[in-house]
């Protein structure tokens, strides 16, 4: 299995070319990032499920996509955007940590939803008994989606802290590219928007329902976005600009408002995953999906 992770070929089934990753988990399959060499996997999954482990692929997603994932029956693999998913990865902020004798339970929030992440404790490994981050810090999760009593959670194969907040923005971009691949096909190919696929973000426009790729005129932003935030978003979406987006001072100048007000509006938009930082923390562009 190749150590590739990026927007590449393949899109059928659950893979899409996303195989054993080098992103954030070097040599994951050999060093425990994927399956811990069987040390924990036997207690987490049934023999019937283990038959697919040799075909596992890694898919970057948002928590909203987890909540919207479909399942043909209780033993079937989950599907996101019509494609089967086995191992998933996402980045989020730790809301709370609950430590027990056999596991550590994290509540993780990525701005699109909150989900429980279960990390099993290995009695022979003292490090597994320690949380990887504190409340309020960001972590990257590698694991499998589970359902118990109609509640979805993630069983972690690997957790690690996020040392650079740019990784959060990078992950959202990577998840967006993957989402577009499965809903619209490879770059330059025919659009294959399929009905019933959900969006990636909270109160999203369901990007795959708009085959042309652009957001529909007059699309509604989440209700929590204030008046200034809406002005900033409209400017970023429609004003002439280069690929780097617009700097805060440019936005303030064009809108005729204070930079501090632009920063506050930017925090709202960034928190909702509607824009992202580009060359620096004060230069923004609209996140198209």
């Amino acid at each position: 299995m190749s150590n590739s992770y990026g927007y590449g070929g393949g899109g059928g089934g659950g893979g899409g070319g996303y195989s054993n990753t080098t992103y954030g988990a070097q040599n994951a399959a050999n060093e425990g990032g994927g399956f811990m060499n069987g040390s924990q996997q036997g207690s987490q999954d049934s023999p019937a499920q283990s038959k697919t482990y040799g075909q596992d692929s890694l898919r970057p997603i948002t928590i909203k996509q987890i909540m919207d994932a479909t399942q043909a029956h209780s033993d079937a693999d989950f599907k996101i955007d019509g494609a089967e998913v086995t191992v998933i990865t996402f980045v989020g902020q730790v809301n709370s940590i609950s430590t027990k004798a056999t596991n550590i339970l994290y509540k993780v929030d990525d701005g699109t939803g909150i989900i429980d992440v279960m990390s099993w404790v290995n009695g022979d490994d003292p490090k597994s008994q320690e949380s990887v981050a504190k409340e309020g810090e960001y972590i990257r999760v590698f694991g499998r989606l589970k359902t118990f009593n109609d509640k979805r959670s993630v069983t972690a194969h690997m957790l690690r802290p996020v040392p650079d907040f740019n990784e959060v923005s990078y992950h959202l971009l990577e998840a967006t590219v993957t989402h577009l691949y499965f809903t619209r096909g490879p770059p330059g190919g025919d659009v294959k928007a399929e009905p019933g696929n959900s969006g990636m973000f909270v109160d999203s426009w369901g990007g795959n329902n708009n085959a042309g790729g652009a957001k529909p005129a007059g699309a509604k932003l989440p209700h929590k976005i204030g008046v200034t935030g809406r002005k900033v978003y409209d400017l970023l979406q429609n004003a002439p600009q280069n690929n780097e987006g617009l700097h805060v001072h440019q936005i303030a100048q064009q809108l005729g408002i204070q930079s501090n007000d632009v920063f506050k509006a930017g925090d709202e938009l960034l928190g909702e995953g509607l824009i992202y930082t580009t060359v620096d923390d004060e230069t923004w562009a609209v996140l198209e999906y």
Side-chain angles (χ1 to χ4, degrees):
M1 184 178 290
S2 62
N3 285 335
S4 63
Y5 187 37
Y7 185 28
Y18 293 84
S19 55
N20 207 11
T21 181
T22 59
Y23 179 87
Q26 285 80 358
N27 300 317
N30 297 325
E31 297 180 4
F35 309 107
M36 305 300 290
N37 294 326
S39 61
Q40 296 180 4
Q41 202 61 43
S43 63
Q44 297 171 6
D45 300 285
S46 67
Q49 291 172 315
S50 66
K51 63 184 179 182
T52 63
Y53 286 175
Q55 304 170 11
D56 283 340
S57 59
L58 179 63
R59 169 96 183 248
I61 47 84
T62 64
I63 292 176
K64 182 178 187 297
Q65 287 180 294
I66 292 177
M67 298 307 183
D68 291 340
T70 60
Q71 194 178 24
H73 54 82
S74 59
D75 294 326
D77 284 334
F78 287 91
K79 287 187 176 183
I80 296 176
D81 299 327
E84 290 185 356
V85 291
T86 49
V87 183
I88 58 176
T89 181
F90 60 92
V91 175
Q93 186 178 39
V94 178
N95 279 4
S96 65
I97 303 172
S98 177
T99 303
K100 299 180 181 179
T102 58
N103 62 74
I104 302 176
L105 181 66
Y106 302 82
K107 284 192 178 295
V108 181
D109 182 354
D110 73 344
T112 73
I114 301 174
I115 197 165
D116 290 344
V117 177
M118 180 81 72
S119 177
W120 292 100
V121 170
N122 182 351
D124 297 328
D125 182 7
K127 290 185 178 180
S128 73
Q129 303 172 32
E130 302 174 359
S131 60
V132 299
K134 301 176 182 178
E135 292 182 7
E137 295 180 341
Y138 282 79
I139 60 174
R140 176 171 284 278
V141 178
F142 297 87
R144 282 178 175 266
L145 177 57
K146 304 292 182 183
T147 298
F148 182 72
N149 287 340
D150 294 327
K151 181 179 180 181
R152 294 187 178 180
S153 63
V154 172
T155 298
H157 299 320
M158 175 183 172
L159 301 172
R160 66 164 176 79
V162 172
D164 185 345
F165 190 77
N166 285 324
E167 183 175 342
V168 178
S169 300
Y170 177 84
H171 171 75
L172 289 175
L173 290 172
E174 195 158 34
T176 299
V177 169
T178 311
H179 170 69
L180 291 175
Y181 184 95
F182 284 109
T183 57
R184 298 182 184 173
D190 294 333
V191 174
K192 61 169 186 178
E194 298 177 1
N197 289 327
S198 60
M200 298 176 58
F201 303 104
V202 176
D203 293 328
S204 68
W205 296 273
N208 46 4
N209 293 327
N210 181 27
K215 295 180 180 63
K220 295 182 179 180
L221 294 174
H223 295 299
K224 64 180 70 175
I225 302 299
V227 174
T228 304
R230 295 172 187 276
K231 291 181 179 180
V232 171
Y233 183 86
D234 288 341
L235 178 64
L236 289 172
Q237 188 177 36
N238 300 313
Q241 56 190 278
N242 56 31
N243 293 332
E244 295 176 353
L246 292 177
H247 191 274
V248 168
H249 297 314
Q250 292 176 291
I251 298 172
Q253 183 179 20
Q254 293 190 39
L255 292 179
I257 59 179
Q258 297 294 321
S259 295
N260 286 341
D261 293 331
V262 176
F263 277 116
K264 292 177 182 178
D267 287 341
E268 293 180 350
L269 297 170
L270 288 165
E272 292 297 312
L274 297 168
I275 64 174
Y276 65 100
T277 58
T278 57
V279 294
D280 56 43
D281 291 341
E282 298 180 359
T283 305
W284 307 329
V286 169
L287 184 59
E288 301 286 352
Y289 55 92

